[in-house]
Amino acid sequence: VNGLQARTFGVWTLLSSVIRCLCAIDIRNRTLYYLTLFTFFLALIHFLSEVFVYRTAALTIGVMAPLMVASFSILGMLIGLQYLEVEALSQNKKKN
């Protein structure tokens, strides 16, 4: 890893955390919700590819922790997405 790669990964991590914090503030914003869900998918794919495709990382606790966070977050957000959709439908019925 050189300095450029480290800074790029750092900025990507910072951007992801800003998006996730904004989603936590405005959880009913569907666009932001999908964007946040996408950041967790990107993180999961990134770490899985480093371990199993490129073999540049070993399956240690340092790699397993982000894998578990991304996996559980994706699962939780997919479950929460159902409630978000139901809420949107009920609001549409109230307007009509």
Side-chain angles (χ1 to χ4, degrees):
V1 174
N2 61 33
L4 175 62
Q5 290 170 324
R7 287 187 298 276
T8 302
F9 187 72
V11 169
W12 173 67
T13 303
L14 180 63
L15 178 62
S16 294
S17 65
V18 168
I19 291 170
R20 293 167 187 171
C21 287
L22 290 173
C23 183
I25 292 169
D26 187 11
I27 194 91
R28 289 181 176 85
N29 184 335
R30 261 193 260 160
T31 303
L32 196 52
Y33 197 90
Y34 285 122
L35 187 62
T36 304
L37 183 59
F38 184 68
T39 65
F40 285 115
F41 274 115
L42 277 178
L44 183 66
I45 291 167
H46 168 71
F47 284 103
L48 285 175
S49 68
E50 290 299 328
V51 172
F52 296 111
V53 176
Y54 301 113
R55 300 194 188 278
T56 55
L59 204 55
T60 61
I61 191 68
V63 174
M64 288 179 63
L67 285 173
M68 290 177 8
V69 168
S71 299
F72 289 133
S73 297
I74 289 169
L75 181 64
M77 288 192 76
L78 288 175
I79 292 169
L81 186 60
Q82 295 174 353
Y83 292 103
L84 192 63
E85 296 296 329
V86 167
E87 184 178 312
L89 288 174
S90 66
Q91 286 180 355
N92 285 340
K93 286 182 182 179
K94 287 180 184 178
K95 289 179 182 177
N96 295 330

